[in-house]
Amino acid sequence: TSSYTPAQNSDKYKSDVTNEVSGTGYSAGGATLGSVTVAQSGGTFTFDAADTSWSSSTITARYAVIYDSTPSTDATRPLICYVDFGADVVSTSGTFTITWNGSGLVTATVS
């Protein structure tokens, strides 16, 4: 929700993320990313996924937090990145969709 304030210096695991959104059509923990791709071209590394959506939802969100759900506990599930929508985004009995940037969720250049 907009009550969460990302702290890049200290938020390392899912357990560090507070005030997760709740509402109709949304399950705690979020959604699993679909069609995940990892690519490297020259010195550029890109992590991408299909857009994510919750149908028939009534929720208000300010951030999307991407984390690795493979480890068994929230205290060991590393955060990968977060997206700031810039303002609260609302769905009311409709589809809440996160349209990821066409350049990918994360793009990094290594030198």
Side-chain angles (χ1 to χ4, degrees):
T1 67
S2 59
S3 300
Y4 170 63
T5 302
Q8 293 180 0
N9 291 333
S10 60
D11 291 355
K12 295 181 176 35
Y13 299 98
K14 184 176 182 299
S15 59
D16 296 322
V17 178
T18 58
N19 301 308
E20 181 176 6
V21 70
S22 64
T24 303
Y26 180 85
S27 299
T32 300
L33 293 175
S35 302
V36 173
T37 60
V38 177
Q40 181 181 0
S41 177
T44 302
F45 163 86
T46 304
F47 168 69
D48 200 8
D51 294 345
T52 305
S53 63
W54 292 265
S55 60
S56 303
S57 66
T58 299
I59 55 177
T60 301
R62 170 65 189 258
Y63 301 96
V65 177
I66 310 300
Y67 65 94
D68 178 358
S69 64
T70 306
S72 61
T73 67
D74 286 352
T76 58
R77 293 179 175 147
L79 300 182
I80 297 170
C81 65
Y82 72 91
V83 176
D84 182 346
F85 301 138
D88 285 355
V89 178
V90 179
S91 66
T92 304
S93 298
T95 301
F96 185 99
T97 301
I98 302 172
T99 304
W100 304 117
N101 186 306
S103 297
L105 286 162
V106 176
T107 301
T109 302
V110 269
S111 57

